[in-house]
Amino acid sequence: MIFRKDTGSIWTSISDLMTGLMVIFLFVCMGFLYQLNGAINSGKLVQDEINAALHNEFSEDELANWGVSMNEENLRVTFVAPAVFFDLGSTAVKPKFQEILAEFFPRYIKVIDQFSDHILEVRIEGNSSREIFDDINSDAAYFYNMKLSQERAFNVLQYVFTLEEMTGKRQWMIDKLRATGASFSKANLERADASRCVEISIHRNFEKEMKNLERH
């Protein structure tokens, strides 16, 4: 008598195993998507709370008087008043800009300090125009403007750090405040002077937010 292996039953078992693995994989994916969706919703809620707190602190008249624009989508503050723009090739913070920073920055930090657990860093970003070099695509142009934009950001950071009102927030600023340069990557091609500016943006601690979500 010749015995033959039942290959059909073997393949059926393998098929059942693969089906089971696919079901497990599907549930894992669903769990991940659920967590991701929760993180997105939680992150949007925090962003809305920060925006609401800032708008509650600053009136529209104040922001307009200072020439301050707040982008609610990326939590970015831009100073748009011509009086605060840096002079061509200069890194000096103008007296008018100093006045605005002295009025705006302590109150700004007071508000966002409430959300410290959600904030990875507050970034002061310097920018530059594309005017000085004829060959704007040269390495020299890029590095010159990178140094220029970084020094503008650093000078603003140094000024706000030394404000008397920020004495109690020095450690907070050391932990959170950063100065960076963007060279001419965001240059305004229609208005060169508007490119010589500084922006302040909040960068969220998404990793910590995800871990907090997982605990719940």
Side-chain angles (χ1 to χ4, degrees), residues 124-127 142 145-146 148-151 153 179-183 185:
I124 298 175
E125 181 184 275
N127 296 277
Y142 172 73
N145 282 283
M146 178 60 75
L148 188 65
S149 61
Q150 287 177 338
E151 289 181 356
T180 65
S183 190
S185 62

Side-chain angles (χ1 to χ4, degrees), residues 22-85:
M22 287 295 293
V23 171
I24 293 173
F25 178 73
L26 179 61
F27 277 110
V28 170
C29 288
M30 290 176 63
F32 174 76
L33 290 174
Y34 176 80
Q35 281 193 334
L36 181 61
N37 186 61
I40 292 173
N41 290 335
S42 176
K44 183 66 168 62
L45 180 62
V46 171
Q47 180 172 307
D48 290 344
E49 289 177 350
I50 294 174
N51 281 319
L54 287 171
H55 282 291
N56 186 58
E57 175 67 28
F58 300 109
S59 70
E60 293 298 323
D61 288 342
E62 284 180 311
L63 296 177
N65 184 52
W66 293 328
V68 170
S69 172
M70 289 187 181
N71 188 323
E72 296 186 358
E73 294 300 319
N74 56 20
L75 299 175
R76 181 178 295 271
V77 172
T78 304
F79 298 90
V80 297
V84 310
F85 296 154

Side-chain angles (χ1 to χ4, degrees), residues 10-26:
I10 293 175
W11 284 110
T12 299
S13 299
I14 293 174
S15 177
D16 291 342
L17 177 62
M18 294 300 294
T19 300
L21 290 174
M22 287 295 293
V23 171
I24 293 173
F25 178 73
L26 179 61

Side-chain angles (χ1 to χ4, degrees), residues 120 204-214:
L120 182 64
R204 304 267 299 285
N205 193 343
F206 290 107
E207 182 178 351
K208 188 170 183 179
E209 289 181 359
M210 283 292 290
K211 288 181 180 179
N212 290 338
L213 188 66
E214 289 172 0

Side-chain angles (χ1 to χ4, degrees), residues 176-189:
K176 301 288 186 181
L177 207 57
R178 303 291 181 266
T180 65
S183 190
F184 47 68
S185 62
K186 298 180 180 179
N188 187 327
L189 300 180

